[in-house]
């Protein structure tokens, strides 16, 4: 779906307008979350009521001027998914859009250098009811032959890298001075949004739709309705599954949290989403989308928002996982709440998951604490829209066979679009030239540059291959 252009104005965009009504919020902060199952009975979640820190006293020894986060921007063409070189990005504080603090440009890969920008202290994202834990920046992106884009309210957290992916549309001859404007709403742990309407964790299934209900399938795309289900004027967006999960996780948890908390929350998000896919929840109600961006019904997805490196890496590692119970075929509808402003007995508390991770709980221990001991992590072995599944072990120099040949064919096709990646022969032999191409691919897409085709690299190659060969089907 093509985005709607708006005339660019230099005025400050009001992010408050993006906030949803808080009238449904449960502001009872005194009730504790009862555990569903506790690995150690002596372990408890800290008290829910935590006084906000004094902004003049920062206990981690840093002040706002020496807290920084990193930013990297990727610019692609929306028509053919090719990198856009020499795009210019003017960066300003969201409150002062006319005061440019930095200007960066993309290289031949469509990437900018990684830069550091000021953020609030790390402590603010580690405790509820603290000051705003992220800085808001405005990006104005221009490139010759393309329509400009203004992104207002991009969120930078300390000590992690914010990744802003941008798609530029070709310039319209009749609108030479127009620009697309996107206002990023507040993070759900900081802004005011309606709480989730609680549903049964096992949903009814009707075998009348498109999904093959004999197995769980990771979809290539989900169709996101950007509003509540009943809002027929809200647009629908085709979003790659992993991009959707990364967007939601970046919107609903802080990327600075311990790894176990990130993984527990991402697994819950994935299982919830796959339940909507598997049961065709909305299509069976007559709608033409997979899921909504309403927090009352589903998860918060924000069009054009930035993601974070810690969350992106975690999703790439576990994107084919979901949560199951014994003798239940469908993914569990794993609902949760923040656990502070809104409580949800017998469901996961986001701040509670962070507290348990601080105590040393693993991701599965956190999930079982809230959802019970019978919950377990399951895996989908089939990825809809991707030619073949992971070979089961990493491919490296010396590997041979059909899986190597398939990977080489896909990588060579990608190299025709992403010129820094060298073309290679698909001979089924993983040699030095294939390793060189793999390293270039990993560099292009922000993966560890090992030259080994591990699980994240295999599926990233498959994802980009699908994007460059089938982009026309979704334009």
């Amino acid at each position: 779906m093509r985005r709607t252009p708006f005339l660019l104005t230099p005025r400050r965009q009001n992010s408050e307008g993006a906030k949803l009504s808080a009238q449904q919020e449960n502001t009872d902060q005194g009730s504790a979350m009862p555990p569903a199952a506790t690995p150690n009975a002596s372990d408890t979640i800290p008290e829910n009521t935590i006084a906000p820190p004094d902004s003049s006293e920062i206990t981690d020894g840093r002040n706002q001027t020496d807290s920084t986060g990193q930013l990297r921007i990727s610019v692609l063409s929306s028509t053919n998914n090719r990198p856009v070189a020499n795009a210019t990005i003017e960066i300003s504080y969201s409150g002062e859009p006319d005061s440019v603090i930095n200007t960066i440009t993309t290289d031949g890969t469509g990437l900018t250098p990684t830069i550091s920008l000021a953020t609030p202290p790390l402590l603010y994202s580690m405790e509820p009811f603290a000051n705003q834990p992220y800085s808001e920046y405005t990006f104005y992106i221009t490139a010759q032959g393309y329509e400009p884009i203004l992104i207002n309210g991009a969120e930078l957290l300390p000590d992690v890298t914010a990744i802003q992916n941008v798609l530029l549309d070709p310039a319209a001859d009749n609108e030479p001075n127009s620009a697309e404007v996107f206002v990023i709403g507040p993070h759900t742990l900081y802004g005011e949004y309606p709480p989730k309407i609680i549903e049964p964790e096992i949903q009814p299934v009707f075998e009348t739709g498109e999904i093959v209900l004999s197995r769980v399938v990771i979809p290539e795309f989900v169709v996101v309705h950007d509003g509540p289900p009943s809002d027929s004027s809200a647009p629908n967006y085709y979003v790659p599954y992993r991009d959707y999960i990364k967007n939601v996780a970046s919107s609903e948890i802080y990327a600075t949290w311990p790894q176990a908390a990130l993984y527990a929350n991402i697994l819950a998000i994935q299982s919830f989403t796959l339940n909507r896919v598997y049961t065709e929840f909305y299509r069976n109600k007559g709608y033409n989308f997979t899921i909504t961006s309403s927090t009352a019904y589903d998860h918060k997805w924000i069009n054009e928002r930035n993601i974070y490196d810690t969350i992106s890496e975690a999703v790439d590692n576990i994107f084919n996982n979901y949560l199951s119970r014994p003798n239940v075929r469908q993914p569990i509808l794993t609902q949760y709440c923040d656990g502070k402003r809104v409580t949800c007995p017998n469901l996961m508390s986001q701040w509670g998951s962070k507290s348990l991770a601080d105590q040393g709980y693993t991701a599965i221990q956190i999930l079982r604490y809230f959802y019970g001991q019978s919950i377990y992590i399951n895996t989908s072995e089939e990825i809809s829209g991707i030619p073949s599944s992971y070979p089961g072990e990493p491919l490296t120099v010396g590997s041979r066979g059909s899986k190597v040949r398939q990977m080489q064919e896909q990588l060579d096709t990608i190299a025709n679009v992403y010129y820094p990646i060298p073309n290679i022969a698909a001979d089924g032999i993983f040699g030095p030239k294939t390793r060189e191409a793999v390293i270039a691919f990993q560099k292009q897409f922000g993966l560890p540059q090992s030259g080994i085709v591990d699980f994240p690299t295999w599926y990233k190659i498959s994802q980009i291959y699908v994007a460059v060969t089938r982009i026309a089907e979704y334009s």
Side-chain angles (χ1 to χ4, degrees), residues 333-355:
L333 192 76
T334 38
Q335 301 154 98
Y336 54 77
C337 63
D338 75 343
K340 300 301 178 180
R341 292 171 301 174
V342 179
T343 58
C344 45
N346 301 318
L347 300 177
M348 186 166 69
S349 153
Q350 292 166 297
W351 282 110
S353 71
K354 190 265 180 185
S355 297

Side-chain angles (χ1 to χ4, degrees), residues 42-180:
S42 64
D43 292 325
T44 58
I45 298 178
E47 290 294 329
N48 275 349
T49 304
I50 301 176
D54 186 338
S55 60
S56 64
E57 297 179 1
I58 300 171
T59 59
D60 68 352
R62 301 187 301 174
N63 58 52
Q64 186 161 344
T65 59
D66 60 21
S67 294
T68 59
Q70 286 68 53
L71 170 69
R72 184 176 74 248
I73 298 178
S74 169
V75 182
L76 302 177
S77 169
S78 65
T79 57
N80 56 18
N81 216 45
R82 292 180 183 271
V84 177
N86 300 316
T88 299
I89 299 96
E90 295 180 351
I91 302 171
S92 59
Y93 295 115
S94 289
E96 304 174 31
D98 294 328
S99 300
V100 176
I101 60 174
N102 205 334
T103 300
I104 53 179
T105 58
T106 58
D107 59 18
T109 67
L111 298 173
T112 67
T114 300
I115 64 171
S116 296
L117 294 169
T119 65
L122 181 64
L123 175 66
Y124 290 175
S125 62
M126 297 298 178
E127 299 289 355
F129 310 127
N131 294 337
Q132 180 171 308
Y134 51 85
S135 297
E136 295 182 355
Y137 288 92
T138 293
F139 307 141
Y140 181 48
I141 303 105
T142 58
Q144 185 175 4
Y146 292 93
E147 184 177 320
I149 281 182
L150 182 81
I151 298 175
N152 183 52
E155 300 169 1
L156 263 71
L157 288 161
D159 298 352
V160 295
T161 299
I163 303 168
Q164 181 70 62
N165 296 314
V166 178
L167 288 176
L168 293 183
D169 291 331
D173 294 336
N174 59 341
E175 296 180 14
N177 296 318
S178 66
E180 294 177 291

Side-chain angles (χ1 to χ4, degrees), residues 203-365:
Q203 296 288 314
V205 175
F206 305 94
E207 300 197 28
T208 58
E210 301 171 357
I211 302 301
V212 179
L213 297 175
S214 62
R215 65 187 187 275
V216 176
V217 177
I218 306 297
E220 182 185 336
F221 285 84
V222 292
V223 182
V224 183
H225 184 69
D226 198 9
S230 59
D231 184 0
S232 59
S233 65
N236 292 340
Y237 294 91
Y238 281 79
V239 184
Y241 173 76
R242 267 182 288 176
D243 291 348
Y244 170 79
I245 299 298
K246 292 175 183 181
N247 185 304
V248 168
S250 296
S251 300
E252 297 209 337
I253 54 177
Y254 291 137
T256 53
W257 283 4
Q259 187 180 70
L262 298 183
Y263 274 74
N265 281 272
I266 289 168
L267 284 166
I269 292 168
Q270 290 178 175
S271 190
F272 184 104
T273 303
L274 291 177
N275 182 281
R276 290 293 198 231
V277 172
Y278 181 86
T279 63
E280 295 195 283
F281 181 81
Y282 287 108
R283 294 187 186 277
N284 283 313
K285 296 178 181 295
Y287 298 111
N288 62 345
F289 48 82
T290 311
I291 202 163
T292 76
S293 66
S294 168
T295 58
Y297 297 91
D298 299 295
H299 296 135
K300 191 59 188 173
W301 174 85
I302 302 176
N303 192 24
E304 301 297 330
R305 74 150 295 132
N306 61 279
I307 61 172
Y308 301 94
D309 60 342
T310 52
I311 286 175
S312 180
E313 181 179 355
V315 173
D316 284 341
N317 286 332
I318 62 169
F319 79 94
N320 65 331
N321 294 141
Y322 59 95
L323 298 173
S324 287
R325 292 200 191 278
N327 302 315
V328 177
R329 181 179 295 172
Q330 66 181 255
I332 302 304
L333 192 76
T334 38
Q335 301 154 98
Y336 54 77
C337 63
D338 75 343
K340 300 301 178 180
R341 292 171 301 174
V342 179
T343 58
C344 45
N346 301 318
L347 300 177
M348 186 166 69
S349 153
Q350 292 166 297
W351 282 110
S353 71
K354 190 265 180 185
S355 297
L356 292 177
D358 287 339
Q359 297 175 42
Y361 283 51
T362 65
I364 189 60
Q365 287 175 326

